């Protein structure tokens, strides 16, 4: 148990569906992250939130829309996805982005399949 | 080229054997983070190294950062099936021109332990 919970663990959706991924952290952290993990590729950072403000968007297509209503919760809203978006989506949190020791704690991930 | 190169890409060892995984950086490291990931799950933080020559241990896993702070090794003594998984090294992204507070990761080393 890492203190970061992601739901659902598995999701299958059609290209015209709209769905959301949820992440909740119980660590009192101020920063939260969304990553995409595809086979044989390094982890790709998608979005970063610090104190509920989006501070980074790494050229992610607009069909992915993040939301951070408070420092404990992070959502990733999905719509009109493509089959190449199938991947493991990981959420992470860290105490603060400004710290020298920025250990990130990860959730178990959501395995997304787009048909 | 990859900022963080891990070797080998995959490894199969007999239970009880020792093994070493390497992580090489193209730049001098500020912080080096080791994580373990079981298939389809999130990353579990193992340890962080910051000082040249630093060595840390967690149960039968020992990680070391070389004096020049450009390479780290992860050594497992008397491997067990529970050690199986993918080991990823991460580093502070700002070292490679990225944003403060972000991490970048190697592609991982997949370890299988045969009983």
């Amino acid at each position: 148990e890492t203190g970061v919970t992601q739901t659902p663990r598995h999701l299958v959706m059609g290209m015209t569906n709209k769905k959301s991924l949820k992440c909740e952290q119980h660590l009192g952290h101020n920063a939260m992250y969304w990553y995409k993990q595809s086979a044989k590729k390094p982890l790709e950072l998608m979005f970063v939130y610090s104190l509920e403000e989006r501070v980074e968007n790494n050229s992610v297509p607009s069909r992915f829309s993040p939301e951070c209503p408070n420092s404990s919760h992070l959502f990733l809203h999905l719509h009109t996805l493509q089959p190449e978006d199938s991947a493991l989506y990981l959420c992470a949190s860290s105490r603060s982005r400004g710290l020298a020791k920025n250990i990130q704690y990860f959730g178990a991930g959501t395995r997304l399949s787009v048909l | 080229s990859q900022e963080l190169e891990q070797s080998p890409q995959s490894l199969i060892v007999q239970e009880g054997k020792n093994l070493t995984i390497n992580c090489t950086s193209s730049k001098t490291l500020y912080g080096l983070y080791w994580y373990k990931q079981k298939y389809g799950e999130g990353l579990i933080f193992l340890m962080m190294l910051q000082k040249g020559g630093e060595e840390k241990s967690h149960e039968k896993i020992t990680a070391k950062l070389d004096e020049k702070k450009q390479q780290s090794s992860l050594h497992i003594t008397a491997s067990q099936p529970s050690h199986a998984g993918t080991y990823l090294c991460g580093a502070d992204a700002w070292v490679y021109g990225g944003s403060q507070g972000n991490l970048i990761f190697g592609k991982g080393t997949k370890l299988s332990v045969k009983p």
Side-chain angles (χ1 to χ4, degrees), chain A:
Chain A
E1 177 57 55
T2 62
V4 181
T5 304
Q6 286 188 245
T7 54
R9 291 294 314 277
H10 302 273
L11 180 62
V12 179
M13 57 188 289
M15 290 192 284
T16 58
N17 292 158
K18 286 186 182 181
K19 296 284 183 185
S20 295
L21 309 185
K22 179 183 176 183
C23 176
E24 182 175 1
Q25 57 96 0
H26 308 275
L27 300 169
H29 288 170
N30 289 327
M32 296 187 79
Y33 311 77
W34 277 118
Y35 288 89
K36 176 183 179 183
Q37 188 176 38
S38 306
K40 299 187 179 179
K41 284 187 178 181
L43 279 170
E44 298 172 57
L45 181 63
M46 300 174 71
F47 300 103
V48 181
Y49 277 82
S50 179
L51 296 170
E52 300 155 40
E53 296 285 331
R54 191 193 310 180
V55 295
E56 193 148 332
N57 173 346
N58 282 338
S59 304
V60 180
S62 59
R63 56 186 184 269
F64 295 91
S65 174
E67 179 190 1
C68 186
N70 55 62
S71 59
S72 299
H73 293 86
L74 186 65
F75 294 89
L76 188 63
H77 304 298
L78 316 171
H79 65 98
T80 57
L81 293 192
Q82 305 298 310
E84 61 264 28
D85 296 322
S86 299
L88 182 67
Y89 288 85
L90 293 164
C91 171
S93 71
S94 67
R95 201 146 51 98
S96 170
R97 296 183 80 239
L99 289 177
K101 192 174 175 180
N102 187 34
I103 299 168
Q104 293 184 16
Y105 294 89
F106 286 78
T110 295
R111 172 68 63 184
L112 174 67
S113 298
V114 181
L115 305 177

Side-chain angles (χ1 to χ4, degrees), chain A residues 2 9 33 37 42-43 45 48 56 88 90 97 100-104 106-108, chain B residues 2 30 33 35 37 40-45 48 50 99-103 105 107:
Chain A
T2 62
R9 291 294 314 277
Y33 311 77
Q37 188 176 38
L43 279 170
L45 181 63
V48 181
E56 193 148 332
L88 182 67
L90 293 164
R97 296 183 80 239
K101 192 174 175 180
N102 187 34
I103 299 168
Q104 293 184 16
F106 286 78
Chain B
Q2 192 77 17
Y30 181 75
Y33 306 75
Y35 288 85
Q37 183 179 30
E41 297 188 7
L43 280 65
I44 304 295
F45 172 72
M48 178 199 175
Q50 282 187 298
S99 300
Q100 170 77 28
N102 290 353
L103 297 180
F105 293 88
K107 289 186 179 180

Side-chain angles (χ1 to χ4, degrees), chain B residues 10-28:
Chain B
S10 63
L11 192 54
I12 302 173
V13 299
Q14 198 69 41
E15 182 177 357
K17 295 294 185 185
N18 303 337
L19 62 107
T20 299
I21 296 168
N22 293 303
C23 175
T24 302
S25 169
S26 59
K27 305 263 186 188
T28 301

Side-chain angles (χ1 to χ4, degrees), chain B residues 37-96:
Chain B
Q37 183 179 30
K38 291 200 169 179
Y39 179 74
E41 297 188 7
L43 280 65
I44 304 295
F45 172 72
L46 295 176
M47 55 195 100
M48 178 199 175
L49 304 164
Q50 282 187 298
K51 300 174 185 173
E54 184 177 10
E55 185 172 308
K56 285 187 177 177
S57 293
H58 173 71
E59 297 176 346
K60 291 186 178 178
I61 301 175
T62 301
K64 185 172 180 179
L65 185 60
D66 76 344
E67 290 291 342
K68 292 185 178 179
K69 295 174 66 175
Q70 283 198 262
Q71 185 170 57
S72 178
S73 58
L74 187 97
H75 183 77
I76 298 178
T77 303
S79 58
Q80 299 168 1
S82 60
H83 288 126
T86 298
Y87 290 82
L88 295 96
C89 62
D92 294 293
W94 65 264
V95 168
Y96 309 95

